Amino acid sequence: LNLDEGSGNIAYDQSGNGNNGTLINNPTWTTETAPITWSINALKFDGIDDYIAVAPSPSLSPPSINKLTIEFWIKINGSGVMRVVDDTQIIAGGGYFINIFDGKVHIGLNNDASSYLISNTILEINQWYHIAAVYDGTIIKIFINGVQDPITKLYNNPIYVYSKILHIGKNHQINSNYLNATLDDLKISYSALY
């Protein structure tokens, strides 16, 4: 989702897989974009109740994956726990999530605490950052503005992905941790790109 639409309530998927997102509770289109030449719009979330919902699809829900990259540009507007991407399934285990937790990037896989990785780097409010969270099948890593964070995590399990709604901007399990940030150029790939 490059989030360049600028109007309407759909964020279109550019991958060709048709995984479009529906804007819920009116996140705001803005021309205050990430510092990338191709971006013309971004999406600002209020931290109260707005988010994007992406419907289940076969391309998002293979039985399991061994690699994952989630990357995006973000400018946080507050502190606390904010969910950027949520594809978790508590009852069955599985899925993945990314939080910003008091300025630190936090990724988790399979609802398995042994996979949780929190960055050493702290993001500053009102500054754009490029984030890439990567799992290559054995190591979980976080890159911030192209530089690998010094903390990594060994993890050796496939990620179990179920057919359910992918949420961007909130924790779907408990309807909380809404994102208070501006988001741009979000990509999810079932490969290790970094």
Side-chain angles (χ1 to χ4, degrees):
L1 307 176
N2 65 16
L3 304 177
D4 271 343
E5 287 75 14
S7 63
N9 68 344
I10 302 294
Y12 290 98
D13 175 22
Q14 285 72 46
S15 72
N17 291 314
N19 296 316
N20 300 327
T22 300
L23 280 58
I24 308 294
N25 295 329
N26 302 310
T28 306
W29 294 106
T30 178
T31 55
E32 295 178 26
T33 64
I36 47 180
T37 56
W38 59 85
S39 181
I40 56 174
N41 290 292
L43 201 57
K44 187 172 185 177
F45 297 81
D46 63 13
I48 299 170
D49 64 355
D50 55 8
Y51 61 98
I52 299 174
V54 180
S57 78
S59 65
L60 286 175
S61 306
S64 67
I65 56 175
N66 293 308
K67 297 179 181 178
L68 173 69
T69 300
I70 304 170
E71 60 181 310
F72 51 90
W73 283 89
I74 192 166
K75 180 172 67 171
I76 60 173
N77 303 318
S79 60
V81 181
M82 298 180 273
R83 187 68 51 109
V84 181
V85 174
D86 191 330
D87 187 57
T88 56
Q89 176 67 282
I90 287 178
I91 294 172
Y96 49 84
F97 72 84
I98 293 188
N99 286 336
I100 306 297
F101 186 3
D102 287 336
K104 293 188 175 187
V105 181
H106 178 201
I107 180 172
L109 309 177
N110 289 330
N111 282 312
D112 179 355
S114 71
S115 77
Y116 294 177
L117 175 63
I118 300 175
S119 69
N120 184 61
T121 305
I122 298 174
L123 309 185
E124 295 180 19
I125 291 174
N126 295 321
Q127 180 172 322
W128 280 105
Y129 293 91
H130 180 262
I131 307 297
V134 181
Y135 175 53
D136 66 7
T138 56
I139 300 173
I140 304 168
K141 302 172 276 191
I142 296 170
F143 294 82
I144 298 174
N145 290 338
V147 177
Q148 185 177 323
D149 192 81
I151 300 175
T152 62
K153 176 78 73 164
L154 293 174
Y155 191 69
N156 252 343
N157 297 313
I159 305 168
Y160 300 101
V161 185
Y162 301 96
S163 181
K164 61 189 172 309
I165 295 172
L166 170 71
H167 289 83
I168 300 164
K170 80 167 191 131
N171 181 332
H172 80 280
Q173 302 287 348
I174 55 176
N175 290 322
S176 67
N177 308 132
Y178 287 95
L179 185 62
N180 184 7
T182 305
L183 197 62
D184 204 353
D185 206 37
L186 170 71
K187 299 172 186 172
I188 299 173
S189 173
Y190 292 158
S191 57
L193 300 179
Y194 294 83

